Each structure stands twice: as C-alpha cells, then as structure tokens.
Amino acid sequence: MFEQFDPLKGKRLSVLDQDGKLLAKKWLPELSDERLVDGYKQMMRARIVDQRALGYQRQKRVHTLPTNLGQEAAAVASAMALNADDWLVQAYRELGAVLTHGGSIRNYLLYFKGSEWGAIHENAPRLLPPSVPISSQIPHAVGIGHAIRYRGGKEVVIVYFGDGGTSQGDFHEGLNWAGVFNCPVVFFCNNNQYAISLNRSKQTKAETLAQKAVAYGIPGIQVDGNDFLAVYRATSEAVDHARSGKGPVLIEAFTYRMGAHTTSDDPSIYRSKEEEEEWSARCPLKRMRLWLTERGLWDEERESAWQSEVEAEVDAAMKEVDEINDMPLPEIFQYMYADKPAELEEQQQAYEAYLNWKEAR
C-alpha cells in the first residue's frame, strides 16, 4: 500500500467520496457489518460529547475546550485499528480516539473542569494524558516504542499531533530516532489545515506532510482524513507494519477543523465562510451514514435512538463531574518530583497565599 500511495507522487488514499459512494473497492477494509456500524456510532458519540461539552463550557461548568468537530473519522478509525494492549499517546484533539480506546466521558469532562484526576482513565491503562505543549508527546511515544522493541514486545504505539506539530524539533527527532531504532510507532498527523490561526501553507514548503517520512527512511502515506474506511485501512496497514518488526510509519490525515481551535478562538478572523462550507460538505459522519444507509445497516430510527442514548450518557457524566470537588491544592504540587525542590515549595506557598487573599476579599 505505501508504495502505491507514494506521497511524493501526490497520491492520497480515499475509499468513499463525500456523498458516501464507493471509490475504490480494492482498498475497502475487512470489517464486519457490526464493526462498521460501531465505527459510525463511535463517531457520532464523539460528536455529541463534543457538542455537549461546548454547551457546558458556555455554562461555565468546564473551562477552555479544544473542539473536535470534523475530525471524528480520523480519531475513531485510527483507534479502532489498535489492539487493547497497544499504546495511545494523544495531543488534545483526539476525543474520538480516547473514547474508542477505553477512555470515559466522565474523565474527559473532569479534565477540562481543571482536575488532573481526569487525565487518568481507569479502563484504559495504556492511554496517556493529554499533551498540550505542541509535539512534546512525540518523544514520549518513541520512548515507549523503544522500550517495546528492547523487550521484544509486540505492542504498537500510535501518537497524534497536528500539522503545526511538524514544525517542532520533537517531530523530527522522534521520526529520526524511531527510524534508526526500528521502533513500532505509528505517527498520526491530523492535518486539519490550521495551527490555531496559521494556515498549513505557512508550516512547510513541502507539498505534503506525509512525504517528510522519506527523509527518515520510513513509509509515509496521505489519507483522506474524513473517510472512515480509508483511515482505518491505512492505520491497520501501518499497525501491522510496525507490529511485524518493520518499524514506524507516518500517516497524514487530510482533514479539517470545522469548529474553532478552542472555545477562546474566533476562526472567522482567519478563514472564509466559503471555505468552511466547502469542508462541511465533506463531513465524515454524513458520508459514512449515507454508505451505511444504502447498505441497509442504518436508518433514521436507529440514529435518533442512539443520539438520545448518548445525550443521556453525557448529561449523567457531567452531573457526576459537577459533584466532584476541586483537587486538593497539595496534589497539584506534590507529584512532580520525588523530593520537592525549594522553588516549587515557594510557588505552592505563594499560590496558597493568593487563595487565602482571594477568599478574604
């Protein structure tokens, strides 16, 4: 597959067009009807959680949020290609992947309420916490991959980052190390066209981001990130490649952030309404729903029932989060070092003094 979709030749893998019509039967992944329906349900679940969370943020029940609208196929399909014991290293816009790999809605909301407890998903021990600093998670993923290789394990690591992340040194160092030491890592770039307000064209002069793999001697592939079937096929091939000992793969998911960068962002300042409408027509849920409906696997009744079920699930999770008290102040400081340095002790004392002053006002 990687030779046939050489990014240096402008090749991009697509299986479904934006109207849900099959483009390439040859690349259709081997998924049962049940798994296909589950994939759509997981995408829909991620979108509903995202929309609900946005409402909670406006109600001041959670803090600043990164929106996931438009990137559900890339997140869900890639995570579905993993085994339960594989490692998932996230950035901060992989809600669908987090939920698919065993993360909970409750903890997702709890994290964005400001509690570090929410970064730990009890049912997903190989899901790393969100990483807000751009690309800092890539060396972590490569380190895990190196340890797997050293110990002779069969697990695979997938690490997510955005187009802006490819401009960071951590990206290049990570690909170089993984390539040299044959680490079982799938580098998954969500090219959603913008790094906050900076257009992808300002990140690099390279025609694609996938072709950056060539410099490090590893396979790279660009895939239609709004096509669930294409993302699953590409990721499953990359996972098999890494698991079999052949080393890392770079995937560029060509997608679009349909919402704002975060709830504090106004995308109308840096992109046009026409561009947004053009990408809205490529909605990943719409095309998958049309394809499933045509095959008799989905209908409006099932859609409505599933939506109601997920909405109730999200509201119940938020109600539980509302009742959780803030983290005790010492916990914010005590786990960074085995022996707390004087500088950190001073920061804690200063923050305690600030809180006391604030309460006394």
mmCIF file of all heavy atoms in Angstrom, residues 205-222:
data_model
loop_
_atom_site.group_PDB
_atom_site.id
_atom_site.type_symbol
_atom_site.label_atom_id
_atom_site.label_comp_id
_atom_site.label_asym_id
_atom_site.label_seq_id
_atom_site.Cartn_x
_atom_site.Cartn_y
_atom_site.Cartn_z
ATOM 1 N N LYS A 205 7.200 24.148 3.039
ATOM 2 C CA LYS A 205 7.081 24.271 1.590
ATOM 3 C C LYS A 205 6.838 22.910 0.934
ATOM 4 O O LYS A 205 6.560 22.826 -0.266
ATOM 5 C CB LYS A 205 8.335 24.916 1.003
ATOM 6 C CG LYS A 205 8.128 25.515 -0.377
ATOM 7 C CD LYS A 205 9.320 26.336 -0.829
ATOM 8 C CE LYS A 205 9.046 26.970 -2.198
ATOM 9 N NZ LYS A 205 10.194 27.799 -2.651
ATOM 10 N N ALA A 206 6.931 21.852 1.713
ATOM 11 C CA ALA A 206 6.685 20.506 1.186
ATOM 12 C C ALA A 206 5.243 20.387 0.709
ATOM 13 O O ALA A 206 4.329 20.929 1.321
ATOM 14 C CB ALA A 206 6.967 19.460 2.265
ATOM 15 N N GLU A 207 5.040 19.671 -0.384
ATOM 16 C CA GLU A 207 3.691 19.521 -0.944
ATOM 17 C C GLU A 207 2.765 18.775 0.000
ATOM 18 O O GLU A 207 1.570 19.052 0.072
ATOM 19 C CB GLU A 207 3.768 18.772 -2.291
ATOM 20 C CG GLU A 207 4.577 19.504 -3.328
ATOM 21 C CD GLU A 207 3.759 19.928 -4.523
ATOM 22 O OE1 GLU A 207 2.644 19.438 -4.698
ATOM 23 O OE2 GLU A 207 4.259 20.773 -5.274
ATOM 24 N N THR A 208 3.298 17.786 0.693
ATOM 25 C CA THR A 208 2.524 17.043 1.683
ATOM 26 C C THR A 208 3.340 16.930 2.960
ATOM 27 O O THR A 208 4.564 17.099 2.955
ATOM 28 C CB THR A 208 2.177 15.622 1.197
ATOM 29 O OG1 THR A 208 3.376 14.833 1.150
ATOM 30 C CG2 THR A 208 1.509 15.639 -0.169
ATOM 31 N N LEU A 209 2.655 16.617 4.044
ATOM 32 C CA LEU A 209 3.361 16.340 5.296
ATOM 33 C C LEU A 209 3.818 14.891 5.336
ATOM 34 O O LEU A 209 4.816 14.562 5.973
ATOM 35 C CB LEU A 209 2.459 16.661 6.482
ATOM 36 C CG LEU A 209 1.993 18.117 6.556
ATOM 37 C CD1 LEU A 209 0.997 18.306 7.703
ATOM 38 C CD2 LEU A 209 3.170 19.064 6.724
ATOM 39 N N ALA A 210 3.073 14.019 4.654
ATOM 40 C CA ALA A 210 3.432 12.597 4.633
ATOM 41 C C ALA A 210 4.797 12.356 4.005
ATOM 42 O O ALA A 210 5.515 11.425 4.393
ATOM 43 C CB ALA A 210 2.359 11.809 3.875
ATOM 44 N N GLN A 211 5.191 13.195 3.037
ATOM 45 C CA GLN A 211 6.464 12.976 2.362
ATOM 46 C C GLN A 211 7.665 13.245 3.260
ATOM 47 O O GLN A 211 8.789 12.857 2.934
ATOM 48 C CB GLN A 211 6.554 13.823 1.099
ATOM 49 C CG GLN A 211 6.729 15.317 1.327
ATOM 50 C CD GLN A 211 6.560 16.118 0.044
ATOM 51 O OE1 GLN A 211 5.506 16.062 -0.600
ATOM 52 N NE2 GLN A 211 7.587 16.846 -0.346
ATOM 53 N N LYS A 212 7.438 13.856 4.410
ATOM 54 C CA LYS A 212 8.543 14.075 5.353
ATOM 55 C C LYS A 212 9.096 12.748 5.873
ATOM 56 O O LYS A 212 10.221 12.687 6.374
ATOM 57 C CB LYS A 212 8.084 14.965 6.508
ATOM 58 C CG LYS A 212 7.791 16.402 6.072
ATOM 59 C CD LYS A 212 7.355 17.273 7.223
ATOM 60 C CE LYS A 212 7.083 18.698 6.735
ATOM 61 N NZ LYS A 212 8.303 19.431 6.371
ATOM 62 N N ALA A 213 8.318 11.676 5.743
ATOM 63 C CA ALA A 213 8.788 10.350 6.151
ATOM 64 C C ALA A 213 10.011 9.919 5.341
ATOM 65 O O ALA A 213 10.876 9.188 5.852
ATOM 66 C CB ALA A 213 7.664 9.330 5.980
ATOM 67 N N VAL A 214 10.082 10.367 4.085
ATOM 68 C CA VAL A 214 11.148 9.924 3.182
ATOM 69 C C VAL A 214 12.523 10.263 3.750
ATOM 70 O O VAL A 214 13.471 9.463 3.665
ATOM 71 C CB VAL A 214 10.959 10.568 1.791
ATOM 72 C CG1 VAL A 214 12.118 10.205 0.868
ATOM 73 C CG2 VAL A 214 9.631 10.135 1.183
ATOM 74 N N ALA A 215 12.653 11.432 4.361
ATOM 75 C CA ALA A 215 13.942 11.868 4.890
ATOM 76 C C ALA A 215 14.446 10.960 6.007
ATOM 77 O O ALA A 215 15.651 10.901 6.270
ATOM 78 C CB ALA A 215 13.843 13.304 5.402
ATOM 79 N N TYR A 216 13.518 10.247 6.651
ATOM 80 C CA TYR A 216 13.907 9.399 7.783
ATOM 81 C C TYR A 216 13.862 7.923 7.429
ATOM 82 O O TYR A 216 13.984 7.055 8.304
ATOM 83 C CB TYR A 216 12.992 9.711 8.976
ATOM 84 C CG TYR A 216 13.101 11.163 9.362
ATOM 85 C CD1 TYR A 216 12.085 12.062 9.033
ATOM 86 C CD2 TYR A 216 14.253 11.657 9.970
ATOM 87 C CE1 TYR A 216 12.210 13.403 9.336
ATOM 88 C CE2 TYR A 216 14.374 13.002 10.273
ATOM 89 C CZ TYR A 216 13.352 13.872 9.952
ATOM 90 O OH TYR A 216 13.487 15.211 10.239
ATOM 91 N N GLY A 217 13.686 7.620 6.143
ATOM 92 C CA GLY A 217 13.770 6.244 5.681
ATOM 93 C C GLY A 217 12.618 5.362 6.113
ATOM 94 O O GLY A 217 12.773 4.147 6.248
ATOM 95 N N ILE A 218 11.440 5.969 6.315
ATOM 96 C CA ILE A 218 10.278 5.192 6.746
ATOM 97 C C ILE A 218 9.113 5.440 5.786
ATOM 98 O O ILE A 218 9.094 6.451 5.084
ATOM 99 C CB ILE A 218 9.865 5.541 8.198
ATOM 100 C CG1 ILE A 218 9.317 6.962 8.292
ATOM 101 C CG2 ILE A 218 11.040 5.348 9.155
ATOM 102 C CD1 ILE A 218 8.759 7.332 9.666
ATOM 103 N N PRO A 219 8.127 4.549 5.748
ATOM 104 C CA PRO A 219 6.979 4.774 4.860
ATOM 105 C C PRO A 219 6.123 5.947 5.335
ATOM 106 O O PRO A 219 5.994 6.207 6.537
ATOM 107 C CB PRO A 219 6.174 3.467 4.973
ATOM 108 C CG PRO A 219 7.108 2.470 5.556
ATOM 109 C CD PRO A 219 8.063 3.239 6.412
ATOM 110 N N GLY A 220 5.529 6.637 4.381
ATOM 111 C CA GLY A 220 4.590 7.715 4.679
ATOM 112 C C GLY A 220 3.410 7.627 3.727
ATOM 113 O O GLY A 220 3.570 7.214 2.574
ATOM 114 N N ILE A 221 2.239 7.989 4.202
ATOM 115 C CA ILE A 221 1.048 7.935 3.372
ATOM 116 C C ILE A 221 0.095 9.062 3.751
ATOM 117 O O ILE A 221 -0.069 9.358 4.936
ATOM 118 C CB ILE A 221 0.331 6.563 3.492
ATOM 119 C CG1 ILE A 221 -0.872 6.482 2.545
ATOM 120 C CG2 ILE A 221 -0.071 6.271 4.926
ATOM 121 C CD1 ILE A 221 -1.479 5.081 2.442
ATOM 122 N N GLN A 222 -0.488 9.702 2.731
ATOM 123 C CA GLN A 222 -1.532 10.691 2.972
ATOM 124 C C GLN A 222 -2.879 10.033 2.707
ATOM 125 O O GLN A 222 -3.061 9.340 1.703
ATOM 126 C CB GLN A 222 -1.376 11.908 2.067
ATOM 127 C CG GLN A 222 -2.347 13.033 2.419
ATOM 128 C CD GLN A 222 -2.291 14.188 1.428
ATOM 129 O OE1 GLN A 222 -2.742 14.061 0.294
ATOM 130 N NE2 GLN A 222 -1.733 15.313 1.855
#
